Amino acid sequence: MSINGGATVSAGWVAAQPRRRRTVDHRSGLLRPSHVSTTVSPSLKCFFGTWRMVARSTSQKDSSVATEPEPDDEVVLESPEHFRIYKSGKIDRLNRPPVLPAGLDEATGVTSKDVVLDAETGVSVRLFLPRLQEPSKKLPVVVFFHGGAFFIESAGSATYHSYVNSLAAAAGALVVSVDYRLAPEHPLPAAYDDSWAGLRWAASAQDGWIAEHGDTAHLFIAGDSAGANIAHEMLVRAAASGGPRMEGAILLHPWFGGSKEIEGEPEGGAAITAAMWSYACPEAAAGADDPRLNPLAPGGPAMEKLPCERMLVCAGQKDVLAPRNRAYYDAVAASAWRGSLEWLESEGEGHVFFLGKPECENAKQLMDRVVAFMAGEA
């Protein structure tokens, strides 16, 4: 669930406890969580900016006292630097980076183009083809899923267009960046379904660029934050359906959570993640312990069945999610999975720092590690 720039701001916030029931806003057609109680947490240095979460306690209300209906324009979840969600289910996306057109990037020599996969839903992909040093040489294919908490960003935003351009150039890979639908207008599993469609489309080599220049025998998936969460779900779906099989998976600061804090996780971290998940996936029966958000929860996927040969899990040392990232890595390592597993923790860095400061030394080291991993050299 990366936020542009990976801002780290200390702020007080009010967090709702896990939602137990949900209602439908019949005017918007959006499912919206029903707040049942509130708790107050101390300030939390978090990667997604300053937070304000509003919830009304119903546990101590006198049912005999008539109350005015709560306005539908009440803000219930807010990150002022990034987005604001209202009781009605409406979302304001704030301070959005510009959307860049596809085409030739003079700085990297990478050429991009957009392909619509589903005219009805508008789901599309942006392909990135690096400058061909040897035209006859086939390139590894990377299917990339952008971050943004499932609420913001796109394949064409300046944040991700620039990052994927750099990735394609550095790795010498043909990258397919999936532009999936966003919550809350399109709650999960919409983003998962769109990403799955993008992965299968790329693996089928239907596009001329992929057919001519791509080597789908060397297929990778990658993503940051919410996009890394999606990458994990793609592995789970591929395991359940018998493919496609991937050579490698690159999980950059993956967004995982749970209903209870784990060792090393700061106070309030789990509650913030749970609140965000409740708006991204309002129908998750297990709440924040849905296996898609918490792969280590009861009923989670069998890690030994993950259908890739290699995996790289990356974290930022100062990231609130770092303990979850490590717990996921440890769970895969402890399973009977036979693949090659690698870990990289960027010292002194926060969540998805490489997006906001790609020229810093740690960002360069991370890119070098990703490139070496894809080449089988790490």
Side-chain angles (χ1 to χ4, degrees), residues 343-363:
W343 168 260
L344 175 63
E345 185 170 307
S346 298
E347 184 176 355
E349 301 292 358
H351 192 63
V352 296
F353 70 95
F354 49 89
L355 296 178
K357 45 181 186 178
E359 296 303 318
C360 76
E361 188 59 31
N362 280 339

Side-chain angles (χ1 to χ4, degrees), residues 19-365:
R19 282 70 168 163
R20 299 184 184 277
R21 61 186 176 84
R22 291 164 174 83
T23 57
V24 178
D25 185 321
H26 295 286
R27 288 167 296 176
S28 66
L30 296 176
L31 289 165
R32 56 185 186 184
S34 297
H35 303 280
V36 295
S37 61
T38 62
T39 58
V40 178
S41 167
S43 64
L44 176 69
K45 193 174 185 68
C46 68
F47 53 89
F48 29 65
T50 306
W51 278 84
R52 184 167 72 91
M53 299 188 191
V54 181
R56 298 184 181 275
S57 175
T58 59
S59 58
Q60 298 180 5
K61 282 186 178 179
D62 183 348
S63 60
S64 66
V65 178
T67 59
E68 291 294 324
E70 295 176 0
D72 278 348
D73 60 355
E74 175 188 4
V75 176
V76 291
L77 180 62
E78 182 178 33
S79 175
E81 298 175 26
H82 309 297
F83 58 82
R84 181 183 301 121
I85 297 178
Y86 297 85
K87 192 175 189 296
S88 64
K90 182 183 75 171
I91 185 171
D92 290 336
R93 294 181 173 91
L94 313 172
N95 304 319
R96 291 183 286 183
V99 174
L100 301 181
L104 174 64
D105 180 68
E106 297 288 352
T108 61
V110 174
T111 303
S112 57
K113 70 174 182 178
D114 295 324
V115 177
V116 175
L117 303 188
D118 189 325
E120 184 175 345
T121 63
V123 174
S124 65
V125 296
R126 178 165 287 191
L127 285 77
F128 296 79
L129 182 66
R131 183 183 290 115
L132 299 173
Q133 305 297 333
E134 302 177 40
S136 61
K137 182 180 178 181
K138 296 285 189 174
L139 308 177
V141 176
V142 181
V143 181
F144 184 85
F145 312 103
H146 70 79
F150 295 108
F151 298 134
I152 61 174
E153 294 287 4
S154 68
S157 77
T159 305
Y160 287 100
H161 180 84
S162 299
Y163 177 76
V164 177
N165 259 324
S166 298
L167 174 62
L174 197 165
V175 184
V176 179
S177 185
V178 181
D179 202 19
Y180 54 83
R181 288 171 292 173
L182 300 176
E185 299 96 332
H186 304 284
L188 293 173
Y192 292 136
D193 293 343
D194 296 345
S195 298
W196 181 237
L199 173 60
R200 290 187 298 167
W201 177 85
S204 69
Q206 296 178 40
D207 180 80
W209 278 12
I210 302 177
E212 184 176 356
H213 304 294
D215 182 0
T216 54
H218 294 287
L219 179 66
F220 293 80
I221 56 173
D224 72 296
S225 199
N229 174 291
I230 292 174
H232 166 76
E233 175 64 12
M234 297 302 98
L235 291 173
V236 173
R237 291 194 178 196
S241 63
R245 184 162 186 85
M246 287 145 275
E247 179 175 343
I250 302 165
L251 276 59
L252 304 170
H253 302 194
W255 181 35
F256 296 128
S259 61
K260 297 179 181 179
E261 287 158 7
I262 64 173
E263 183 178 355
E265 191 173 26
E267 182 181 357
I272 285 185
T273 301
M276 295 178 71
W277 178 253
S278 71
Y279 289 97
C281 192
E283 287 301 279
D289 285 326
D290 184 298
R292 293 168 294 184
L293 180 66
N294 185 3
L296 309 187
M303 298 296 192
E304 65 271 14
K305 295 183 179 180
L306 297 179
C308 60
E309 299 169 20
R310 299 184 282 123
M311 179 183 292
L312 172 63
V313 182
C314 302
Q317 182 191 28
K318 292 185 176 180
D319 187 357
V320 173
L321 293 180
R324 295 274 177 185
N325 298 163
R326 184 69 198 197
Y328 176 85
Y329 169 87
D330 289 343
V332 176
S335 74
W337 183 65
R338 294 190 173 186
S340 173
L341 181 63
E342 300 177 25
W343 168 260
L344 175 63
E345 185 170 307
S346 298
E347 184 176 355
E349 301 292 358
H351 192 63
V352 296
F353 70 95
F354 49 89
L355 296 178
K357 45 181 186 178
E359 296 303 318
C360 76
E361 188 59 31
N362 280 339
K364 292 178 181 178
Q365 290 178 6

